Amino acid sequence: MTTHMLEHLALTLVLAPALAAGAAARLRVPPLVALLQFAIVVAVLHVPLVWDAVHERPLLRVGADLLTLASATCFWWPALAVASPLGPIGRTAYLMVGMPLMSLPGVLLDFVDHPLYRGVSLGEQHRAGALMWGVGSAMSAAVLVVGVWASLVREERSVAGAGA
């Protein structure tokens, strides 16, 4: 399960933000829709019946990984893309709401007192949960800082260019 969490951290916090930042105007997702769809995908993929089914069937696992990447890319787009409808404050607020939504399943995995998934020990489940909410939150915060900083720099250049 720890390997699963590391894979999903890479998909959601490394690859998806990079894809979203480069998506420009090709991806137009309303921020509320992006936020809600990602929260639903993360929650549903961690429901024990779904998680067990996905991890017993290789094609479902590939599908779940692709769904996770697509969903995370849509989530990150309003926060990171140049063409986003959100300004620096909106991007910050969006991510401040989104970060706990990503961490909530990890907190549950880390603090529940019994194994939730077939073939996963309680210790392994706790390690995976700690990765998801601990490392995931730290990485999300780093992306938040970089994304908001880039937005502020773009706005500053825009104002400076308009005044010249």
Side-chain angles (χ1 to χ4, degrees):
M1 185 166 203
T2 302
T3 303
H4 160 83
M5 284 303 168
L6 289 172
E7 289 170 1
H8 278 233
L9 287 173
L11 289 172
T12 60
L13 298 170
V14 177
L15 188 54
L19 290 171
R26 293 184 299 271
L27 181 64
R28 292 220 181 260
V29 181
L32 183 60
V33 171
L35 188 65
L36 292 176
Q37 65 80 32
F38 184 63
I40 290 167
V41 167
V42 169
V44 168
L45 287 177
H46 289 91
V47 169
L49 287 173
V50 175
W51 196 91
D52 289 341
V54 163
H55 287 82
E56 290 170 355
R57 296 172 185 87
L59 284 178
L60 281 180
R61 177 118 188 228
V62 170
D65 287 347
L66 291 173
L67 176 62
T68 297
L69 178 60
S71 177
T73 301
C74 287
F75 166 77
W76 284 108
W77 182 84
L80 300 177
V82 173
S84 169
L86 301 175
I89 293 172
R91 291 170 195 255
T92 303
Y94 176 83
L95 289 174
M96 295 302 283
V97 170
M99 288 168 48
L101 293 175
M102 287 189 278
S103 300
L104 196 56
V107 171
L108 177 70
L109 292 176
D110 197 18
F111 288 102
V112 73
D113 63 354
H114 60 281
L116 296 174
Y117 309 112
R118 278 195 295 266
V120 177
S121 71
L122 186 59
E124 181 67 12
Q125 181 176 292
H126 285 175
R127 280 188 295 281
L131 269 174
M132 186 175 188
W133 75 277
V135 174
S137 293
M139 290 175 70
S140 293
V143 173
L144 177 138
V145 169
V146 169
V148 170
W149 182 263
S151 179
L152 289 169
V153 167
R154 281 192 301 273
E155 189 171 300
E156 178 81 17
R157 287 182 182 153
S158 174
V159 169

